[in-house]
């Protein structure tokens, strides 16, 4: 942000909020890189001036608080300083020692926190800091702090990836016409948007029918972005060995299948370096809790679901979705024989509709992007 | 428009455009009131100053040019003046005498025209004016002039009403869940928008199934707006005599039915003051050209089609639509057993999709409004 922007914000924010905003901005630098850890930034302030800062770059690397403390050359400066951190400093020995201890040992006298840690294993930092006589303020820009870590919160509280519904549709909600043809509904610009989504989330997921019909690569084809993990829901292991998806990064592919599917094919795929993940099934579908757990185990924190119809239907009816990006092309066809984005049974009562909030819309080229959170 | 706004426009528009803009604004005052006539405004300018103005208020009342000429108290002022008019002055004796003649007789020496008249019966004004030695300039703000009279142009060139697709949908394009329940998908605010649409177009049209399922009034329930004509497509005259629609303004209702439907019921409905319009059918559907002609005969120049599924399907597949207003509520249900907005057969080829252009989107309350023109 420019200095002038800071100046403007200064008039509506108090100092604590201003420095917290800076901590959140630092945290964002590691977006999609810290999984399964949260995004955390820290700023150390003394006499109104920032004297140190840092953010958590990747699981296994130092936490933000330690990065910030280490960034201060003259350790005497830390005495009576304030540290701003968007998430409660951890209090456990995980891959790194507890940050609460590092703060206490540093001489810092005040800790301003965005939100409490919701991870029970790591929490308790606030109490330890207070116990050591440190002044602690909690809940500064709490909403922004929670939004920043929406993926981590979902992973921790609900033991599931942050699932994102993404679909390219006709105006009547159809994602493919007769025979399953879906390429291309939306424009080049909208497809670039979709690729950026792939490049900024842990994984992209499709159902086996999408593989069979469209034979997609599912890679991110924009330079400078990370390749997402690629997940295919394939209960009966119908995926053709010749599918294009196998042509690149096979060890990035996760085929979710039932325990009963063809063992010989599992061996072949494993020999191709593809990950085979067995998942519990019930009533002919994957058990949603087990699917979520298996994805988390594979460090899939956020997962874009790209369809098709029945796959979106599965995630919708099981209330697995957190967010939606729906792209509408300015086109329409008849719906009879087409594939609707929501391939599952309609209710009789409109009150049973799944609701979205915090919605937005904008144009991307000629297409319309609808964005919203599932309630 | 404020004077400052005019001042701003002045820098990007030349004088002819500026006065044409004024003529177009005047014309707009009679929006939805001139049917079957076009919207026309006229401004008379002398030595850079507006000395007279007028617009066509209603079919049968004087044309804009005559209104403008009559607004000038001192007729000597008209000598060597310029008249700006968004549509070519008429050249025929219709309900009023030709405007071209009125201009010639007034002493006006220059005529600036937005667009040529596309109505062959009335055109020829330009030639007559030129023949009388008047300086004529055509095509000033032509795009705006055409947009202003999009309804009149459609009526004249294609012999059909300007048909507007209007639907309130779930995010997946469904307009009703199982059993046909559709009340209410969108919010109060979106419904007010729909009522304004009804109040600013000649008619609202639904299929018989919508009457049977929803039993709507189809009136405009916002004060200060005109009541639209209400059209029901009811080939076999299934409409219940007890339908709510009959409770208000029965002479405003047009039941479109086949020649073969129940004559006794036709007599009963006519006795109730309801208009029964017989329309040709083919392959179990109304003949689109005859339907269009019958609606025009009843001075339905612009017609909002509010569904349901098969009715939108009929208008879509017959390429009757000119414009769409699609309201998406931030809700989704399964599509199996629900009613999609486009109730007709999907093609196998995506290139056969019906395309829309000049699209926009915005939020109306929690709902999203998509707006576009059919290509």
């Amino acid at each position: 942000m420019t200095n002038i922007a800071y100046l403007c914000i200064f008039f509506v924010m108090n100092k604590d909020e201003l420095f917290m905003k800076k901590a959140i901005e630092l945290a964002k630098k590691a977006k999609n890189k810290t999984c399964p850890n949260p995004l955390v930034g820290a700023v150390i302030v003394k006499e109104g001036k920032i004297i140190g800062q840092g953010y958590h770059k990747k699981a296994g690397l130092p936490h933000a608080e330690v990065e910030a403390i280490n960034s201060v050359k003259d350790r005497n400066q830390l005495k009576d300083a304030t540290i701003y951190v968007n998430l409660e400093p951890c209090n456990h020995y995980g891959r790194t020692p507890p940050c609460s201890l590092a703060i206490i040992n540093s001489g810092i006298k005040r800790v301003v926190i965005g939100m409490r840690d919701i991870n029970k294993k790591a929490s308790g930092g606030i109490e330890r800091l207070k116990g050591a006589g440190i002044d602690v303020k909690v809940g500064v820009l709490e909403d922004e702090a929670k939004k920043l870590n929406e993926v981590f919160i979902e992973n921790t509280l609900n033991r599931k990836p942050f699932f994102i519904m993404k679909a390219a549709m006709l105006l009547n909600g159809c994602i493919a016409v007769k025979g399953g043809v879906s390429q291309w509904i939306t424009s080049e610009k909208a497809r670039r948007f979709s690729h950026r989504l792939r490049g900024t989330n842990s994984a992209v997921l499709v159902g086996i029918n999408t593989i069979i019909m469209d034979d997609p690569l599912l890679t991110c084809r924009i330079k400078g972005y990370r390749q997402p993990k690629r997940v295919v829901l394939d209960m009966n292991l119908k995926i053709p060995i010749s599918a294009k998806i196998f042509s690149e990064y096979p060890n990035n592919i996760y085929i979710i299948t039932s325990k009963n599917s063809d063992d010989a094919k599992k061996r072949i795929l494993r020999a191709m370096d593809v990950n085979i993940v067995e998942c519990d099934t019930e009533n002919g579908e994957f058990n949603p809790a087990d699917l979520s757990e298996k994805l988390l185990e594979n460090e899939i924190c956020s997962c874009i679901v790209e369809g098709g119809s029945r796959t979106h239907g599965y995630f919708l009816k099981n209330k697995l979705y957190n967010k939606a990006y729906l792209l509408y092309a300015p086109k329409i066809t008849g719906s009879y024989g087409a594939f609707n984005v929501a391939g599952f049974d309609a209710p009789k009562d409109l009150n049973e509709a799944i609701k979205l909030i915090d919605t937005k819309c904008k144009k991307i080229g000629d297409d319309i992007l609808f964005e919203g959170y599932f309630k």
Side-chain angles (χ1 to χ4, degrees), chain A:
Chain A
M1 221 188 292
T2 66
N3 290 337
I4 290 171
Y6 268 113
L7 199 68
C8 294
I9 289 167
F10 194 80
F11 289 101
V12 289
M13 283 186 163
N14 63 38
K15 260 188 205 171
D16 281 350
E17 285 174 343
L18 197 66
F19 291 124
M20 185 58 73
K21 191 153 189 73
K22 177 74 183 168
I24 289 173
E25 272 170 38
L26 283 167
K28 278 183 188 164
K29 288 191 175 183
K31 201 164 187 296
N32 192 34
K33 289 175 189 155
T34 60
C35 170
N37 286 359
L39 292 163
V40 190
V43 174
I44 301 174
V45 174
K46 191 160 180 182
E47 291 158 9
K49 277 189 193 144
I50 294 176
I51 59 165
Q53 61 183 50
Y55 64 97
H56 180 49
K57 293 192 179 72
K58 201 183 157 180
L61 293 183
H63 286 186
E65 300 90 325
V66 174
E67 285 271 314
I69 290 169
N70 290 343
S71 78
V72 181
K73 293 274 158 5
D74 176 4
R75 290 304 175 103
N76 293 326
Q77 282 274 304
L78 290 168
K79 202 172 172 304
D80 299 332
T82 298
I83 188 166
Y84 292 84
V85 56
N86 57 283
L87 185 69
E88 176 180 356
C90 76
N91 195 34
H92 77 316
Y93 285 88
R95 300 193 198 183
T96 58
C99 292
S100 53
L101 211 57
I103 292 172
I104 293 165
N105 292 339
S106 72
I108 285 170
K109 273 289 167 247
R110 185 167 177 254
V111 180
V112 180
I113 294 167
M115 64 173 281
R116 279 181 178 272
D117 198 347
I118 35 111
N119 181 353
K120 280 191 188 144
K121 216 166 61 183
S123 70
I126 292 170
E127 287 63 35
R128 184 186 282 204
L129 292 168
K130 284 185 177 169
I134 289 176
D135 176 20
V136 180
K137 182 172 177 185
V138 185
V140 172
L141 295 188
E142 191 171 10
D143 289 346
E144 286 88 332
K146 284 183 174 169
K147 171 103 177 150
L148 172 75
N149 272 311
E150 59 186 14
V151 169
F152 173 73
I153 293 171
E154 183 65 9
N155 298 166
T156 309
L157 285 189
N158 297 325
R159 289 303 302 157
K160 60 182 267 303
F162 187 86
F163 284 117
I164 298 164
M165 178 183 190
K166 188 246 132 184
M169 304 187 282
L170 299 169
L171 290 169
N172 61 341
C174 292
I175 55 172
V177 289
K178 250 179 207 165
V181 178
S182 67
Q183 286 165 340
W184 296 107
I185 285 180
T186 47
S187 66
E188 179 67 30
K189 262 194 182 173
R191 297 207 300 279
R192 276 186 68 84
F193 168 82
S194 303
H195 279 277
R196 275 198 301 277
L197 266 190
R198 289 181 184 173
T200 51
N201 285 281
S202 317
V204 51
L205 180 152
V206 295
I208 180 62
N209 289 336
T210 296
I211 295 287
I212 291 169
M213 305 257 229
D214 300 351
D215 200 11
L217 275 172
L218 299 179
T219 50
C220 169
R221 295 193 283 284
I222 304 179
K223 274 186 188 166
Y225 284 83
R226 261 173 54 147
Q227 283 303 333
K229 293 176 180 179
R230 289 167 294 160
V231 182
V232 181
L233 299 188
D234 186 8
M235 189 170 298
N236 301 310
L237 217 50
K238 289 196 279 183
I239 195 163
I241 297 295
S242 60
K244 271 194 205 148
I245 192 172
F246 297 125
S247 65
E248 292 183 73
Y249 325 109
N251 65 342
N252 229 341
I253 300 169
Y254 296 75
I255 312 281
I256 314 291
T257 190
S258 75
K259 291 179 175 72
N260 307 323
S261 60
D262 185 354
D263 279 327
K265 195 160 178 184
K266 283 178 192 169
R267 277 193 299 275
I268 293 169
L269 288 166
R270 282 189 176 123
M272 287 163 67
D273 223 8
V274 172
N275 303 283
I276 301 295
V277 179
E278 292 181 347
C279 179
D280 294 346
T281 59
E282 54 184 28
N283 306 323
E285 288 187 337
F286 289 115
N287 174 294
D290 194 47
L291 172 65
S292 295
E293 196 60 54
K294 294 284 160 61
L295 294 176
L296 284 184
E297 277 170 16
N298 285 289
E299 296 203 344
I300 291 172
C301 292
S302 62
C303 183
I304 310 157
V305 179
E306 295 200 5
S309 179
R310 286 187 54 200
T311 300
H312 284 308
Y314 167 81
F315 279 86
L316 284 166
K317 75 181 171 194
N318 287 299
K319 308 223 183 313
L320 292 170
Y321 278 135
N322 296 96
K323 193 171 186 181
Y325 289 104
L326 305 178
L327 286 153
Y328 294 90
K331 300 175 194 170
I332 195 165
T333 69
S335 61
Y336 300 163
F339 291 78
N340 190 277
V341 68
F344 68 113
D345 279 336
K348 280 186 179 171
D349 184 348
L350 257 178
N351 292 318
E352 287 176 33
I354 300 161
K355 289 170 191 67
L356 290 94
I357 53 173
D358 297 340
T359 59
K360 288 180 205 167
C361 71
K362 69 170 178 186
K363 282 187 77 171
I364 295 189
D366 286 336
D367 303 315
I368 306 285
L369 172 66
F370 168 90
E371 203 182 316
Y373 284 87
F374 286 83
K375 211 171 170 178

